[in-house]
Amino acid sequence: MRTPLIVLNIAHALPVILLTLVPGTGINGQPLYLSFFDAMYIVGYTATTIGFGEIPYTFSYPQRIVVLMTIYATVPAWLYALGSIIALVQEKTFIYALKMNAFRRKVHHLGQDFIIVCGYTDAGKLLIDRLNKDNLYRIIVIDKSIEKIEALQSELYLPSIPALVADASMTEVLKSSGIESPHCKYLVTLFDDDQLNLKISVRARILNQKLRIIARSGIKQGGENLTNIGVDHVIDAFSIIAKRIDFALRSPYLFNLLSWVQGGNLHVSKSDILPMGKYIVCSKGRFGKTLQNTLDNNKIEYTYLDINKDTHEKVSSDQEFFIQAGIMDAACIIAGTNDDAINLSIVATARSLNPNIFVIVRENELEERSLFSHLRVDKIFILDQIAALDGYNYIDRPMTFKFIDEISKFNKEMYIDTLLMITKKVNKRPALIQMTIDEHHMYALSRYLSEDSVTLGQILNNPYRDGIDLEIFVLGLERENGEFILLPDETTLLSPNDHILFASTRPSLHRFETIVNHYYELYYVIHGVEARRVKLPFLS
């Protein structure tokens, strides 16, 4: 725009100067000169082709010549300037610059902790939906696809989510997204491309050493590389599925606990009990190898099939191929290829040959779930859903990982007892909550603990002396020094900065939050009497 504006300014300025210098003729023939304002006024309405006439008096011929020059100079100048503006508005680079500036302003004015999500994939959308409901962090999204960003904006999230169409692996893009801000707490990259996730993670770690990075990986080397560069949490959906199958083979109750902390419920169904016998694994690459290790560890007999390769070799039909693989006497088949169409074909063929076979499916695209359900699949593992829930747990309730690791070390009876205690104390679909005893989350309790001691039972058991316990079951307690207490009993003493993981109903959660955040409620719950003094010892 520099050249058009210069031309336009010259086309206006020169006639103004000439009109102030060229004299007109008065009534008595004396020379008259236009003031600077009059000259600007005349050039203004002449250049825009409005044309009010000759004021404040009739022009002389030299002045009319200047006006003619003004017309022929300014009209083309305006056309040139307007054409340049229209072309500029349509220029992609200019539009991108405007959007980038608007995006930077939104990020700058967030004023609270936020998370950068790179990739509005199916997994990214699921993660954003959960985080947005909690409203603990604001969210910023970067994706190179304009269609995906438009889809995000059409969701009308509240609060609004600043989003940018850009390559998230570029340093300047990450800087514009506020990655260097102290309010930036997490960066999550959920692209299906391991190399892209690695590039983003490397740049993010360089730009902010305190940032917690969560990255998705689909290959073994990719996960190792991400860990080596300082990624805090690597999401490996294949390993998570293998772990679920391992838990299901060991105990359906252990599997059920794992499924619950990752978004399921606490009702053990028939599909949670994996059959014993021969397994057919239809997969190739890392996923198949990961499953092989799990089956080997559990001493399960299996046949491994590389579907894409084997079906093109010497087999006249899919049915003949599966019969040769021993499907007629197999207990379970795992359709685990990276193509949902092939997995659907595997399921349909397996069901037609052996209607009673247990079917496990790896689903790569979310929209295919209804088709798999129609084929009576016993267990579906959706990669994007698993990745999203794993990332969400790491951000919102990281103690779930320690809980599962610790409880999986015990015997089968403990899994059953734990599940029954949770369902009896709460229900079969309890909310899973992690809270910290500090002034941000439990203000009154954290202040009280600086003066006196409190046990879990004093808060949870019959707090209002009405014979009703809070429907809360504590799964784990983590001390400030990192000590983890699995399933702490009611005599466990609480300390400032303890992290508590518990199952609860929503009404009991609200009552619990009221108790731990209000002084007089807490005093009554602990002592059984109303506080008589306005100023309590632990309030000073």
Side-chain angles (χ1 to χ4, degrees), residues 433-540:
I433 310 294
Q434 178 177 327
M435 294 182 70
T436 304
I437 302 178
D438 59 21
E439 293 193 355
H440 297 290
H441 304 94
M442 304 187 195
Y443 183 79
L445 180 59
S446 65
R447 295 291 298 273
Y448 187 92
L449 289 174
S450 63
E451 300 288 340
D452 206 343
S453 60
V454 179
T455 66
L456 274 173
Q458 286 179 283
I459 297 178
L460 303 181
N461 298 335
N462 192 21
Y464 292 104
R465 308 309 189 268
D466 55 2
I468 301 175
D469 296 340
L470 293 184
E471 294 174 323
I472 291 178
F473 184 83
V474 180
L475 304 170
L477 187 146
E478 185 176 8
R479 302 293 189 189
E480 189 174 10
N481 61 5
E483 177 191 1
F484 184 81
I485 303 173
L486 179 67
L487 306 177
D489 58 34
E490 61 185 27
T491 63
T492 302
L493 290 171
L494 300 174
S495 301
N497 299 315
D498 281 349
H499 302 285
I500 305 175
L501 180 70
F502 58 90
S504 173
T505 61
R506 289 298 173 184
S508 287
L509 175 60
H510 294 153
R511 297 184 76 182
F512 176 77
E513 289 177 328
T514 300
I515 292 170
V516 298
N517 282 292
H518 295 83
Y519 301 121
Y520 296 101
E521 290 276 348
L522 179 63
Y523 189 91
Y524 176 80
V525 166
I526 294 174
H527 299 283
V529 295
E530 297 284 349
R532 298 300 181 184
R533 293 181 294 169
V534 175
K535 186 176 181 181
L536 301 176
F538 63 90
L539 301 185
S540 58

Side-chain angles (χ1 to χ4, degrees), residues 227-259:
T227 302
N228 292 336
I229 66 167
V231 170
D232 299 274
H233 184 65
V234 177
I235 300 175
D236 183 350
F238 296 158
S239 295
I240 295 171
I241 293 174
K243 187 174 184 178
R244 287 190 180 187
I245 293 176
D246 176 51
F247 281 15
L249 289 170
R250 290 167 57 185
S251 168
Y253 297 95
L254 178 59
F255 170 81
N256 200 249
L257 286 170
L258 175 62
S259 299

